[in-house]
Amino acid sequence: MTEKYVLIFAKTPYHKTPYDQWLRDSDITPVIITTRDFAGGYAHMDKVFAFDNYDSSLMVEKAALELAREYPPLAVFARAEADIIRAAKLRELIGVAGQGYDSALAYRNKVVMKEHLKSSGIKLPIYEVACDGYSVVKFVEEHGLPVVIKPFSESGSFNTFIIRNMDELDDYLNNPPVANMEIETFVDGKMYHVDGLVVNGKIKICQPFEYINDCLSFREDKYIGNVALDPEHALYQRLLDAVESVIAYLPKSENMAFHCEFWHTPKDEIVFCEIASRTGGGMIATTFRESLGVDLDKLWLYAECGIALNIEAPPYKPCGCICIPPLKGIFLKKPNIIENEALLFEEFTGAINHQYNGGVKSGLFLIGYVVSGKSSEEVAANIHDTALWFAANSEWAL
């Protein structure tokens, strides 16, 4: 019998994505392409290939093409933002089904996605390509401050700027990022996100969440929290309807996880922010698993590999998560999780006695917790209490 393979771009630690365990009962062998940092976790597997400078190295693509020819895959799987485009291009090169380049670009490039949506009736901020200083100044003159300037294709609010006054505008223009940037009008509203899974072109699982703080809070040494909304919440169905409309107007992908962000404004409008064809960062996927009892990455892998899925309406359990960024200093001690009854799960990504220089992006954190409660309101309160508990029981040399 011919051996079956799935080629996996694995930019995650093994404990989060144990691909060999997930595929243990199938006849499919994973071929792993990963970072040098994560390679140790996958080292017990037969076909693991690790790279330095994983995000930017073109050797990753060269190796992926060579491996696809040596071990012809039935699917190419990629769950990280940095791998969405490279996986789509590889699928088209070797003739494997899955998300193609046009769909991947629409879910990756913030300008392209809005171009697809601007005639849909979905509420959008006003936006333009910030191609030079002239375009930025002209946009501000036409639409006023504040404005948001962000890269076409980054994640975790990396290199995202909220320009609130002329001094901040001058600071930005004096030292702009190298990346291609988009400028858009600032939306005054509370942010929500919707995460879920598309199988055979249809949304099979979907859950709205509320952000506590915002995606730029790490810059002020503040935590970011995510709370799964109760089905009775006033915005629950509206957010589900909104994400369904967004996905319907973007180039189709038969199987994908998704993470979509919206604002809810004081005028009671749902305004689109952005969407990605991947699982959410930080502790979102873990919270989804604890709240609804399903692992999005595992089910997504099964869908890509053609493994039969039995997806029933999962039972909802009020849950949320908190991601705490590092401070500037040496981290000396973390508290014991058993001291806090509201905590279901801990993920410590840092190291004791390590020097940190503050937060880098919203999806990267020092320590994260899944937080429980009897309702979404109680979960939100417990997230705040957890932040206070951590601050009081951890130690830093600042």
Side-chain angles (χ1 to χ4, degrees), residues 142-268:
E142 290 180 359
H143 304 289
L145 294 171
V147 297
V148 180
I149 307 177
K150 55 187 178 182
F152 286 4
S153 302
E154 286 287 359
S155 63
S157 298
F158 184 71
N159 269 344
T160 294
F161 303 86
I162 300 177
I163 309 298
R164 300 183 184 275
N165 55 56
M166 296 307 293
D167 288 340
E168 291 179 352
L169 178 62
D170 288 349
D171 287 343
Y172 172 82
L173 294 173
N174 190 51
N175 189 27
V178 176
N180 293 324
M181 304 294 281
E182 173 213 30
I183 186 169
E184 63 185 36
T185 51
F186 178 83
V187 178
D188 182 19
K190 186 166 184 56
M191 181 161 275
Y192 295 81
H193 62 94
V194 185
D195 291 72
L197 183 69
V198 171
V199 179
N200 296 327
K202 295 183 179 180
I203 297 176
K204 293 294 185 183
I205 307 172
C206 202
Q207 173 64 44
F209 293 78
E210 174 186 353
Y211 277 116
I212 308 297
N213 291 334
D214 61 44
C215 297
L216 295 176
S217 58
F218 68 90
R219 293 182 179 173
E220 299 176 359
D221 297 329
K222 296 179 180 177
Y223 70 85
I224 183 170
N226 310 77
V227 179
L229 295 187
D230 297 329
E232 298 79 18
H233 192 283
L235 294 179
Y236 185 92
Q237 190 58 49
R238 291 176 65 187
L239 290 167
L240 296 188
D241 294 341
V243 78
E244 187 171 2
S245 296
V246 168
I247 290 174
Y249 274 92
L250 293 177
K252 190 173 183 179
S253 178
E254 289 294 321
N255 303 303
M256 67 175 186
F258 61 85
H259 171 71
C260 187
E261 295 177 333
F262 297 96
W263 292 281
H264 178 237
T265 72
K267 295 182 179 180
D268 196 30

Side-chain angles (χ1 to χ4, degrees), residues 55 154-161 215-222 323-328 349 354-366:
D55 285 359
E154 286 287 359
S155 63
S157 298
F158 184 71
N159 269 344
T160 294
F161 303 86
C215 297
L216 295 176
S217 58
F218 68 90
R219 293 182 179 173
E220 299 176 359
D221 297 329
K222 296 179 180 177
C323 293
I324 300 173
L327 302 176
K328 293 181 180 179
T349 68
H354 184 78
Q355 170 78 48
Y356 292 94
N357 292 302
V360 177
K361 57 191 292 189
S362 64
L364 300 178
F365 53 92
L366 174 73

Side-chain angles (χ1 to χ4, degrees), residues 96-154:
V96 167
Q99 186 178 41
Y101 176 74
D102 288 344
S103 175
L105 184 66
Y107 280 90
R108 181 87 166 102
N109 186 301
K110 297 174 178 63
V111 173
V112 173
M113 72 176 62
K114 292 186 181 74
E115 288 293 301
H116 281 285
L117 297 175
K118 67 181 181 180
S119 61
S120 67
I122 296 165
K123 188 77 173 175
L124 304 171
I126 300 169
Y127 66 95
E128 286 184 9
V129 175
C131 54
D132 51 32
Y134 301 120
S135 61
V136 171
V137 172
K138 186 172 180 293
F139 189 91
V140 170
E141 289 175 346
E142 290 180 359
H143 304 289
L145 294 171
V147 297
V148 180
I149 307 177
K150 55 187 178 182
F152 286 4
S153 302
E154 286 287 359

Side-chain angles (χ1 to χ4, degrees), residues 340-358:
N340 192 325
E341 294 180 355
L343 302 186
L344 300 177
F345 185 88
E346 174 189 275
E347 182 168 355
F348 180 49
T349 68
I352 302 298
N353 296 322
H354 184 78
Q355 170 78 48
Y356 292 94
N357 292 302

Side-chain angles (χ1 to χ4, degrees), residues 17 22 77 79 279 285 295-302:
T17 50
W22 291 348
F77 185 77
R79 70 168 303 283
T279 44
D295 191 310
L296 284 177
D297 290 316
K298 180 179 178 179
L299 294 182
W300 180 16
L301 175 68
Y302 284 5

